[in-house]
Amino acid sequence: MAFNVSILFRLISSYLLIIVVVLLSGLYTIWNLSEFNRLIRAVASYDTRMIQLAEECQETLYNANAAERKFFVAGDETYLRQFKDIEAALAGKLSELATLADTEKERALLEAIRASLVRYGALFDEMAARVGSGRIPADEAALYRIEQDLIVGDTGQNLRELARISSDAREEKLREIEALSVRNADAILISLVVAVVLMIAISILNTQSINVPISRLREKTKAVARGDFGDPLDIGSPPEIRELAAAFNTMCDRLRELDQMKIDYISHLSHELRTPLTAIREASSMLEEGLFTQMPEKQRELQTLIREGCERLIRSVTRLLDFSMMESGIMPLVVQEAPLRPLVERNLQRFSPVAQRKRIDMRLDIPSDLPLIRMDAEKIEVVVENLLSNALKFTPDDGHITVAARHLGDEKLVEVAVSDTGRGIPESGLKEVFEKFKRVDDGKGAVRGTGLGLAIVKHIIKAHGGRVWAQSELGKGSTFTFSLPA
Ligand code: ADP
């Protein structure tokens, strides 16, 4: 599965998803708890209170009934007052019940109870008034008793019904509370399971999506270590590893290029060392065999051939040694203020026999007031020698070579340029020529040399804090310029 999103985004969004699941379950639990609370409050403050009040009313009613009976039996005013107090207390409890009643049925029952009690009180008042004014006939008293007992019986029945309804409501709410707590526990359990499953699934997915490209990268690294470059790695996501793979591919390309260069270079270098060695061997065996004993001219030619071959070998080996020292950073610089002119002149003199042979005109253009330069003169001589030897090598007969220097006062620099009228370098090769082992082929035959001369030049100039660059026009000539702090 390839999502083109970064590892950071993947991790953050996965954990956010898990947090959302946990949060939702938390919110659901909080909502359930508030419902739970509401029900408990209803049970505690309404239903239980209703049951309690209904039971108290029943008891109060029986007390009122007892006081009323005692009054008619004893005719004592105390019982009358007692009845009145109980009646008032009963009315108080009924009005409290009325505020708690919340169903039609409860309200209807209460209304019936209230009406019965009003009738009960009125009958009692009427009968009590007659007690004062004389004897009450026995049949009326019996009728009164029957009616009052009926009222007390009905009211008691209604109060019990009211208590039963409240008790049912309380039972109902308790069942709801139980169901709610079960639902709550289920929700917490389910969300926990979902969060754990999600976490495991997301972790596996994330780890896989990172692990798979990394193991491909690891396999590829092992293959490259074995020297097997193969096809470039194609990793689409995550972006971090895609970039790593792209950098890895670039590194492989470069390594492949270097590998090829190494192979080419070894064969070139063997050729470079072998050519003078073969010439030396051939010339020395001719001398050994006594050929040309009668021709001193020819013998001298052979000796020159041997000397030149040796010099070429020494030059190649010295370059290799110099370059490896520079690469390892163990090239000590002995910096002193010195004039440029003498060292350039020495070089021109050294190369003048070759220049004469090729009829190349070598000129010097250095102003007499050129300031002294802080440099390691020996190393700068190597630089000039390399540039001059290249110029001579790549300039055909009858050409021109100029070594010019100028002082850039503003920048406190001295610029030295070696120009020739040689074959030139293509635009694409201008930077590459300073790379180690680089030899630019002009397609007109094998290029001689170790490919290290300009790399050595660059090392030395950089060590002096200067800069070196090349300008060239194909077929017309090249100019190699370096600048040094004056
Ligand atoms: P080498 O030590 O083998 O001469 P260099 O590093 O000095 O190697 O030069 C590298 C390459 O740069 C040469 O092979 C040649 O192609 C190119 N080059 C250097 N100097 C010149 C020049 N003056 N004219 C044309 N090509 C040059």
Side-chain angles (χ1 to χ4, degrees):
M1 227 191 289
F3 307 107
N4 200 9
V5 285
S6 70
I7 296 174
L8 184 72
F9 183 81
R10 280 176 202 203
L11 292 180
I12 289 180
S13 53
S14 321
Y15 292 125
L16 273 182
L17 185 66
I18 295 166
I19 289 172
V20 166
V21 170
V22 174
L23 262 182
L24 282 179
S25 109
L27 284 178
Y28 181 71
T29 310
I30 290 171
W31 177 80
N32 264 351
L33 280 179
S34 70
E35 187 61 13
F36 203 79
N37 241 354
R38 187 188 67 75
L39 287 172
I40 286 179
R41 252 206 317 276
V43 168
S45 33
Y46 295 101
D47 300 325
T48 309
R49 181 71 185 141
M50 284 273 279
I51 298 167
Q52 191 187 1
L53 278 172
E55 282 166 358
E56 280 174 18
C57 282
Q58 280 179 61
E59 204 175 319
T60 317
L61 179 65
Y62 297 135
N63 289 341
N65 188 246
E68 176 226 347
R69 279 170 188 271
K70 284 180 192 160
F71 173 69
F72 287 119
V73 173
D76 190 340
E77 284 289 318
T78 321
Y79 295 118
L80 180 77
R81 275 200 301 282
Q82 203 176 10
F83 178 83
K84 285 291 166 198
D85 287 349
I86 294 171
E87 193 186 27
L90 201 55
K93 287 185 198 301
L94 280 178
S95 50
E96 191 183 344
L97 270 174
T99 59
L100 294 177
D102 60 351
T103 64
E104 257 328 293
K105 194 161 184 200
E106 285 170 344
R107 277 194 283 275
L109 271 174
L110 272 172
E111 190 45 44
I113 292 166
R114 210 185 50 77
S116 301
L117 288 177
V118 169
R119 169 108 184 106
Y120 183 71
L123 280 177
F124 173 75
D125 287 347
E126 194 190 314
M127 204 48 109
R130 286 177 63 190
V131 168
S133 56
R135 268 190 71 79
I136 301 160
D139 55 341
E140 265 186 53
L143 252 177
Y144 165 81
R145 191 70 275 138
I146 290 167
E147 195 167 353
Q148 289 296 62
D149 284 352
L150 270 175
I151 290 173
V152 169
D154 279 356
T155 311
Q157 179 64 32
N158 281 344
L159 281 168
R160 272 194 299 283
E161 177 66 5
L162 195 64
R164 193 192 57 75
I165 290 175
S166 299
S167 161
D168 284 355
R170 185 171 66 175
E171 287 303 312
E172 177 64 23
K173 282 181 186 125
L174 286 176
R175 269 196 300 279
E176 252 181 75
I177 287 172
E178 200 179 316
L180 254 182
S181 57
V182 170
R183 269 212 309 273
N184 219 0
D186 285 354
I188 290 173
L189 198 73
I190 289 172
S191 65
L192 255 178
V193 171
V194 169
V196 168
V197 170
L198 259 180
M199 210 138 120
I200 293 172
I202 284 170
S203 303
I204 292 175
L205 270 180
N206 276 345
T207 316
Q208 277 297 89
S209 71
I210 296 166
N211 232 358
V212 170
I214 283 186
S215 50
R216 282 183 59 203
L217 201 63
R218 190 184 51 221
E219 290 311 313
K220 184 77 187 170
T221 315
K222 281 186 190 163
V224 170
R226 284 194 305 270
D228 168 17
F229 288 98
D231 291 333
L233 253 184
D234 179 21
I235 292 177
S237 77
E240 291 91 335
I241 301 182
R242 187 181 58 218
E243 280 162 28
L244 186 65
F248 184 83
N249 285 337
T250 316
M251 186 188 77
C252 284
D253 288 346
R254 183 75 187 126
L255 277 177
R256 206 193 323 243
E257 211 177 284
L258 284 175
D259 216 38
Q260 192 52 45
M261 242 170 99
K262 187 187 73 190
I263 295 167
D264 291 354
Y265 189 71
I266 289 175
S267 80
H268 168 80
L269 192 68
S270 337
H271 181 73
E272 186 67 19
L273 298 177
R274 216 189 154 113
T275 311
L277 278 174
T278 315
I280 292 169
R281 192 187 60 194
E282 292 305 317
S284 53
S285 50
M286 279 180 187
L287 287 175
E288 203 178 44
E289 283 164 19
L291 291 177
F292 310 120
T293 35
Q294 310 306 322
M295 302 164 77
E297 272 297 302
K298 272 281 179 202
Q299 277 188 341
R300 251 197 311 280
E301 243 177 66
L302 287 177
Q303 279 159 356
T304 312
L305 211 75
I306 291 172
R307 186 182 46 76
E308 279 179 359
C310 285
E311 274 170 8
R312 194 169 146 194
L313 272 178
I314 288 169
R315 217 173 23 249
S316 297
V317 174
T318 311
R319 274 189 182 185
L320 278 171
L321 286 176
D322 279 356
F323 185 73
S324 77
M325 264 171 76
M326 288 174 192
E327 283 273 274
S328 343
I330 45 172
M331 177 187 65
L333 278 190
V334 187
V335 179
Q336 274 173 342
E337 287 200 344
L340 181 76
R341 198 180 183 95
L343 75 87
V344 177
E345 278 174 350
R346 261 201 307 280
N347 261 306
L348 286 179
Q349 251 167 21
R350 186 178 313 148
F351 286 111
S352 71
V354 188
Q356 272 169 14
R357 209 166 47 231
K358 293 178 84 178
R359 292 184 306 280
I360 291 176
D361 167 36
M362 291 204 295
R363 276 186 221 153
L364 190 61
D365 180 9
I366 298 181
S368 51
D369 59 349
L370 194 77
L372 297 180
I373 304 174
R374 279 188 59 75
M375 61 179 173
D376 181 332
E378 230 174 80
K379 299 280 181 318
I380 296 300
E381 199 161 338
V382 172
V383 169
V384 176
E385 181 192 328
N386 276 326
L387 295 181
L388 269 176
S389 95
N390 277 347
L392 276 169
K393 191 159 41 171
F394 296 108
T395 302
D397 293 359
D398 300 313
H400 298 278
I401 293 175
T402 312
V403 182
R406 61 185 183 134
H407 177 214
L408 301 177
D410 293 349
E411 298 167 49
K412 298 203 172 76
L413 287 177
V414 167
E415 244 181 41
V416 183
V418 180
S419 320
D420 61 56
T421 54
R423 67 178 204 195
I425 305 165
E427 177 84 28
S428 56
L430 279 180
K431 277 222 168 74
E432 287 182 1
V433 288
F434 293 101
E435 284 175 30
K436 54 186 170 188
F437 314 131
K438 206 76 191 181
R439 288 159 295 112
V440 181
D441 198 340
D442 65 347
K444 289 181 188 162
V447 189
R448 275 175 47 181
T450 52
L452 289 177
L454 289 177
I456 291 174
V457 165
K458 195 173 170 186
H459 256 295
I460 295 176
I461 297 297
K462 270 181 84 177
H464 279 78
R467 213 163 65 81
V468 59
W469 65 97
Q471 291 156 298
S472 183
E473 207 175 319
L474 259 187
K476 293 214 167 146
S478 323
T479 302
F480 284 82
T481 315
F482 64 86
S483 64
L484 289 174

